[in-house]
Amino acid sequence: GLSYLSCKITEIGAVKIKDGKIIDKFNKLVNPKIEIPEEITKLTSITNEMVENEPTIDVVLPQFLEFIGDSLLIAHNADFDMGFIRHAAKEQGLKFTNPYFDTVALSRFINTDLKAHKLDTIAKYFELGDFDHHRACDDAEMLARIFFAMIDKLRKYEIHDFDKLHSEMMQNSDPLRLRTYH
């Protein structure tokens, strides 16, 4: 869904990366125990029939949290995804305190020639091919490839770690160019 306050998780997907390679995957459909809105089915292709015999979030979320451990999470529009995970974890009394990094902010910083920074737009920009957009694991795999491409681009600017990246982003950000939120 579009809001963790009124919608539920229907799929969780993630990949683990190490040394520039995907080393493991997590991909689970989740029965949200509510009807999936038509707009979400159009967006994700996930139907009520697909999830009716799948485990609920109280089963899948602990598996996901075990999969990620205490890893740094990298997500595109991270606050959206982390909001759903944080809310579900809180409802279950589970601890979720992983640090996370948002690739939208990184893309806005290094891909200044792009007007939009949607996942599929950036995939095309870096010529990374097609993927099943809005399906969790496919998005995660593509995001890993995009992240690697952006890391390569950062190396050209002599940025080799998060501290240097943070410093550069703080020094070179223009608050007047940031998107507004209401």
Side-chain angles (χ1 to χ4, degrees):
L2 300 175
S3 169
Y4 67 82
L5 297 173
S6 59
C7 300
K8 304 291 182 185
I9 295 171
T10 57
E11 185 178 33
I12 299 179
V15 296
K16 283 186 182 179
I17 57 176
K18 184 176 182 176
D19 299 326
K21 292 184 173 63
I22 294 173
I23 60 167
D24 202 359
K25 296 179 187 181
F26 182 93
N27 193 37
K28 302 270 184 174
L29 286 171
V30 179
N31 183 336
K33 292 293 190 187
I34 61 171
E35 290 292 311
I36 298 173
E38 189 177 324
E39 66 199 63
I40 299 305
T41 295
K42 285 180 184 174
L43 186 67
T44 65
S45 301
I46 298 173
T47 65
N48 291 302
E49 294 76 28
M50 289 171 65
V51 299
E52 68 185 347
N53 295 317
E54 296 296 331
T56 55
I57 194 65
D58 60 313
V59 173
V60 176
L61 187 58
Q63 295 170 352
F64 174 68
L65 295 177
E66 183 179 331
F67 176 80
I68 63 172
D70 62 355
S71 299
L72 167 70
L73 305 178
I74 299 171
H76 202 69
N77 195 15
D79 287 338
F80 178 81
D81 294 325
M82 298 309 138
F84 271 90
I85 299 295
R86 190 178 297 111
H87 182 74
K90 184 177 178 183
E91 283 185 326
Q92 292 184 47
L94 299 172
K95 182 180 163 193
F96 175 67
T97 57
N98 294 59
Y100 62 89
F101 182 79
D102 190 346
T103 54
V104 171
L106 179 59
S107 182
R108 287 184 179 138
F109 175 67
I110 67 168
N111 300 322
T112 56
D113 49 334
L114 284 176
K115 291 190 189 302
H117 298 272
K118 297 184 300 184
L119 197 63
D120 56 338
T121 303
I122 301 169
K124 287 177 187 164
Y125 177 78
F126 284 113
E127 300 176 353
L128 297 173
D130 295 326
F131 66 108
D132 196 0
H133 192 29
H134 295 296
R135 290 303 304 267
C137 203
D138 291 321
D139 280 0
E141 286 184 60
M142 180 53 75
L143 181 58
R145 295 173 61 205
I146 288 169
F147 183 69
F148 299 147
M150 289 196 292
I151 293 298
D152 287 342
K153 194 170 182 178
L154 285 171
R155 286 187 181 115
K156 294 175 187 171
Y157 299 113
E158 301 288 321
I159 298 173
H160 301 285
D161 58 51
F162 279 112
D163 289 335
K164 175 77 171 166
L165 175 61
H166 183 260
S167 173
E168 287 293 321
M169 288 177 81
M170 293 299 288
Q171 289 176 20
N172 296 309
S173 65
D174 180 359
L176 298 176
R177 292 181 58 213
L178 294 176
R179 294 177 67 183
T180 58
Y181 295 94
H182 299 280

